[in-house]
Amino acid sequence: MADVWLSDTRSSYDADAPGYADKVRGLLDGSPYLRASLALFAELVEDAGGGPVADVGCGPGYVTDHLHRAGVDAFGIDLAPEMIAIARRDYPGLRFEVGTMTDLDLADDSVAGIVAFWSVIHVPDDAVPGVFDEFRRVLRPQGLVLVGFHVGDGTHHTSEGYTGRAISVDSHHRPPSKVTGWLKEAGFTIEAELVMRPDDDVPGAVVFARSAS
């Protein structure tokens, strides 16, 4: 039963894929700090010599596309086949694959960077260290990771999707110190963190980290 959260997350995003895609369409247009974070990430990847970048938990592919337009050799991976179908439809020139961040179908030291924007939020605490170990495994030496997440404490359950369909998905809100602690344990050096809208009920945060070797 250890992977029930994986199957629930997959089936929930499959069921809600069209509604979710509509919800996030244009999201970056109104998110200057996220755009700036992605621009900085793209610059850092280029400064380190470039190379492929995995958008892990890519959903309908809008971040993958944004990175591509910023000059990054980006490709997307998502747990939900219906999300990947939308991404392939909307961005036919880009590469998208069905996969799970708990067991990435990527070779060791094969990517220059990883972006995980609000995808690790669905991973329970006991599974996050394994996910970050996977990130560390597939990253090249001095590779970059950019993680975005909800700030707070506790787990929030969602039972109805944007399309009104029944879903069952948990979102884990965490203080940045918890996320950075897991990254350090996995062998990353923290380079920067940014908390956005700190006075909101649910702030957001991004953390930049680099593979230590």
Side-chain angles (χ1 to χ4, degrees), residues 39-58:
L40 175 57
F41 178 84
E43 180 182 337
L44 292 171
V45 168
E46 182 180 1
D47 288 347
V53 167
D55 178 12
V56 179
C58 66

Side-chain angles (χ1 to χ4, degrees), residues 1-189:
M1 299 296 288
D3 295 331
V4 168
W5 67 271
L6 270 176
S7 59
D8 284 349
T9 303
R10 179 187 295 110
S11 60
S12 293
Y13 274 101
D14 272 342
D16 203 36
Y20 182 85
D22 287 344
K23 178 70 175 179
V24 300
R25 187 168 290 115
L27 184 149
L28 291 175
D29 294 339
S31 305
Y33 295 105
L34 293 185
R35 293 199 310 273
S37 296
L38 291 169
L40 175 57
F41 178 84
E43 180 182 337
L44 292 171
V45 168
E46 182 180 1
D47 288 347
V53 167
D55 178 12
V56 179
C58 66
Y62 68 100
V63 171
T64 317
D65 176 65
H66 188 88
L67 289 168
H68 171 72
R69 288 187 283 110
V72 177
D73 180 16
F75 65 97
I77 300 171
D78 199 86
L79 183 66
E82 292 300 322
M83 285 291 191
I84 292 299
I86 290 173
R88 288 172 175 167
R89 180 199 69 194
D90 290 349
Y91 309 108
L94 301 182
R95 169 185 160 202
F96 294 99
E97 302 173 355
V98 177
T100 171
M101 66 180 70
T102 60
D103 186 16
L104 292 167
D105 187 18
L106 297 170
D108 295 358
D109 305 330
S110 61
V111 297
I114 290 175
V115 173
F117 257 23
W118 281 263
S119 52
V120 177
I121 63 170
H122 300 307
V123 182
D125 283 5
D126 62 354
V128 174
V131 166
F132 286 166
D133 284 342
E134 272 292 276
F135 288 3
R136 173 71 177 78
R137 177 184 68 79
V138 304
L139 275 168
R140 297 174 181 173
Q142 298 299 304
L144 287 159
V145 62
L146 175 58
V147 182
F149 54 96
H150 295 315
V151 175
D153 290 291
T155 298
H156 300 259
H157 185 75
T158 302
S159 57
E160 182 177 312
Y162 295 110
T163 57
R165 295 180 179 179
I167 62 173
S168 180
V169 65
D170 288 334
S171 298
H172 305 280
H173 298 191
R174 294 160 172 141
S177 59
K178 196 167 189 176
V179 175
T180 58
W182 281 323
L183 285 166
K184 290 176 184 177
E185 289 171 3
F188 290 95
T189 299

